[in-house]
Coordinates of all heavy atoms in Angstrom, one line a residue:
E1 N 0.9 -1.2 0.0 CA 0.0 0.0 0.0 C 0.9 1.2 0.0 O 1.8 1.4 0.8 CB -0.9 0.0 1.2 CG -1.8 1.2 1.3 CD -2.7 1.2 2.6 OE1 -2.7 0.2 3.3 OE2 -3.3 2.3 2.8
V2 N 0.6 2.1 -0.9 CA 1.3 3.4 -1.0 C 0.6 4.5 -0.3 O -0.6 4.5 -0.3 CB 1.5 3.8 -2.5 CG1 2.2 5.1 -2.6 CG2 2.4 2.7 -3.2
N3 N 1.3 5.3 0.4 CA 0.8 6.4 1.3 C -0.2 5.9 2.3 O -1.3 6.4 2.5 CB 0.1 7.4 0.4 CG 1.0 8.2 -0.5 OD1 2.2 8.3 -0.2 ND2 0.5 8.7 -1.6
P4 N 0.2 4.9 3.1 CA -0.7 4.5 4.2 C -0.7 5.6 5.3 O 0.1 6.5 5.4 CB 0.1 3.3 4.8 CG 1.5 3.6 4.5 CD 1.5 4.3 3.2
D5 N -1.7 5.5 6.1 CA -1.9 6.5 7.2 C -1.0 6.0 8.4 O -1.2 5.0 9.0 CB -3.3 6.5 7.7 CG -3.6 7.5 8.8 OD1 -2.6 8.3 9.2 OD2 -4.7 7.6 9.4
L6 N 0.1 6.8 8.6 CA 1.1 6.4 9.6 C 1.0 7.2 10.9 O 1.7 6.9 11.9 CB 2.5 6.5 9.1 CG 2.8 5.6 7.8 CD1 4.2 5.9 7.3 CD2 2.5 4.2 8.1
G7 N 0.2 8.3 10.9 CA 0.2 9.2 12.0 C 1.0 10.4 11.7 O 1.8 10.5 10.8
E8 N 0.8 11.5 12.5 CA 1.4 12.8 12.3 C 2.9 12.7 12.3 O 3.5 12.2 13.3 CB 0.8 13.8 13.3 CG 1.3 15.2 13.0 CD 0.7 16.2 14.0 OE1 -0.2 15.8 14.8 OE2 1.1 17.4 14.0
G9 N 3.5 13.2 11.3 CA 5.0 13.4 11.3 C 5.8 12.1 11.0 O 7.0 12.2 10.8
V10 N 5.1 11.0 10.9 CA 5.9 9.7 10.7 C 6.5 9.7 9.3 O 7.7 9.3 9.1 CB 5.0 8.5 11.0 CG1 5.8 7.2 10.7 CG2 4.6 8.5 12.5
E11 N 5.7 10.0 8.3 CA 6.3 9.9 6.9 C 7.5 10.8 6.8 O 8.5 10.4 6.2 CB 5.2 10.3 5.9 CG 5.8 10.3 4.5 CD 4.7 10.6 3.4 OE1 3.5 10.3 3.6 OE2 5.1 11.1 2.3
E12 N 7.4 12.0 7.3 CA 8.5 13.0 7.2 C 9.8 12.4 7.9 O 10.9 12.5 7.4 CB 8.2 14.3 7.8 CG 7.1 15.1 7.0 CD 5.7 14.6 7.2 OE1 5.5 13.7 8.0 OE2 4.8 15.0 6.3
Q13 N 9.6 11.7 9.0 CA 10.7 11.1 9.8 C 11.3 10.0 9.0 O 12.5 9.9 8.9 CB 10.2 10.6 11.1 CG 11.4 10.2 12.0 CD 10.9 9.7 13.4 OE1 9.9 9.1 13.5 NE2 11.7 10.1 14.4
V14 N 10.5 9.1 8.4 CA 10.9 8.0 7.6 C 11.8 8.5 6.4 O 12.9 8.0 6.1 CB 9.8 7.1 7.1 CG1 10.2 6.2 6.0 CG2 9.2 6.4 8.2
R15 N 11.2 9.6 5.7 CA 11.9 10.1 4.6 C 13.3 10.7 5.0 O 14.3 10.6 4.3 CB 11.1 11.2 3.9 CG 9.8 10.5 3.3 CD 8.9 11.6 2.6 NE 9.5 12.2 1.4 CZ 9.8 13.4 1.3 NH1 9.6 14.3 2.3 NH2 10.3 13.9 0.1
D16 N 13.3 11.4 6.1 CA 14.6 12.0 6.6 C 15.6 10.9 6.9 O 16.7 11.0 6.6 CB 14.3 12.8 7.8 CG 15.5 13.4 8.5 OD1 16.2 14.2 7.9 OD2 15.8 13.0 9.6
Y17 N 15.1 9.9 7.6 CA 16.0 8.8 8.0 C 16.6 8.1 6.8 O 17.7 7.7 6.7 CB 15.3 7.8 8.9 CG 15.0 8.1 10.3 CD1 15.5 9.3 10.8 CD2 14.4 7.3 11.2 CE1 15.3 9.7 12.2 CE2 14.2 7.6 12.5 CZ 14.6 8.8 13.0 OH 14.4 9.1 14.3
A18 N 15.7 7.9 5.8 CA 16.1 7.2 4.5 C 17.3 7.9 3.9 O 18.3 7.3 3.5 CB 14.9 7.0 3.6
V19 N 17.2 9.2 3.7 CA 18.2 10.0 3.1 C 19.5 10.0 3.9 O 20.6 9.9 3.4 CB 17.7 11.4 2.8 CG1 18.9 12.3 2.3 CG2 16.6 11.4 1.7
R20 N 19.3 10.1 5.2 CA 20.5 10.1 6.1 C 21.3 8.8 6.1 O 22.5 8.8 6.0 CB 20.1 10.4 7.5 CG 19.7 11.9 7.8 CD 19.1 12.1 9.2 NE 20.1 11.7 10.2 CZ 19.8 11.6 11.5 NH1 18.5 11.7 11.9 NH2 20.7 11.2 12.4
I21 N 20.5 7.7 6.0 CA 21.2 6.4 6.0 C 21.8 6.2 4.6 O 23.0 5.7 4.5 CB 20.2 5.3 6.3 CG1 19.7 5.4 7.7 CG2 20.7 3.9 5.9 CD1 18.5 4.6 8.1
F22 N 21.2 6.6 3.5 CA 21.7 6.6 2.2 C 23.0 7.3 2.1 O 24.0 6.8 1.5 CB 20.7 7.1 1.2 CG 21.0 7.1 -0.3 CD1 20.9 5.9 -1.0 CD2 21.4 8.2 -0.9 CE1 21.2 5.8 -2.3 CE2 21.7 8.1 -2.3 CZ 21.6 6.9 -3.0
N23 N 23.0 8.5 2.6 CA 24.3 9.3 2.6 C 25.4 8.7 3.5 O 26.6 8.7 3.1 CB 24.0 10.7 3.1 CG 23.3 11.6 2.1 OD1 23.4 11.3 0.9 ND2 22.5 12.5 2.5
A24 N 25.0 8.1 4.6 CA 25.9 7.5 5.6 C 26.7 6.4 4.9 O 27.9 6.2 5.3 CB 25.3 7.1 6.8
V25 N 26.1 5.6 4.1 CA 26.7 4.5 3.4 C 27.4 4.9 2.1 O 27.9 4.1 1.4 CB 25.8 3.3 3.2 CG1 25.2 2.8 4.5 CG2 24.7 3.6 2.2
D26 N 27.4 6.2 1.8 CA 27.9 6.8 0.6 C 27.1 6.3 -0.6 O 27.7 5.9 -1.7 CB 29.4 6.4 0.4 CG 30.1 7.2 -0.6 OD1 29.7 8.4 -0.8 OD2 31.1 6.7 -1.3
G27 N 25.8 6.3 -0.5 CA 24.9 5.8 -1.6 C 24.9 6.8 -2.8 O 25.3 8.0 -2.7
N28 N 24.6 6.2 -3.9 CA 24.5 7.0 -5.2 C 23.6 6.3 -6.1 O 23.6 5.0 -6.2 CB 25.9 7.2 -5.8 CG 25.8 8.2 -6.9 OD1 25.4 7.9 -8.0 ND2 26.3 9.4 -6.7
G29 N 22.7 7.0 -6.8 CA 21.8 6.5 -7.7 C 20.5 6.1 -7.2 O 19.5 6.9 -7.2
L30 N 20.4 4.9 -6.5 CA 19.1 4.5 -6.0 C 19.3 3.5 -4.9 O 20.3 2.9 -4.7 CB 18.3 3.8 -7.1 CG 18.7 2.4 -7.6 CD1 17.5 1.7 -8.3 CD2 19.9 2.4 -8.5
A31 N 18.3 3.5 -4.0 CA 18.2 2.5 -2.9 C 16.8 2.5 -2.4 O 16.1 3.5 -2.5 CB 19.2 2.8 -1.8
R32 N 16.4 1.4 -1.7 CA 15.2 1.4 -1.0 C 15.6 1.1 0.5 O 16.4 0.3 0.8 CB 14.3 0.2 -1.5 CG 12.9 0.3 -0.9 CD 12.1 -1.0 -1.2 NE 12.6 -2.1 -0.3 CZ 13.1 -3.3 -0.7 NH1 13.1 -3.6 -2.0 NH2 13.5 -4.2 0.1

């Protein structure tokens, strides 16, 4: 399911964490 109801602020936190982790491992191009 895309865009599930996660509660206030949760999606923003997930998106922030995803980019921070991607950068921490020196990611480039794509990742999930």
Side-chain angles (χ1 to χ4, degrees):
E1 180 182 349
V2 176
N3 291 336
D5 182 6
L6 303 179
E8 186 176 355
V10 173
E11 178 177 332
E12 290 74 13
Q13 186 176 43
V14 168
R15 295 176 70 242
D16 174 64
Y17 283 0
V19 171
R20 287 173 59 193
I21 292 166
F22 184 78
N23 286 332
V25 300
D26 195 31
N28 190 282
L30 73 161
R32 193 195 70 235

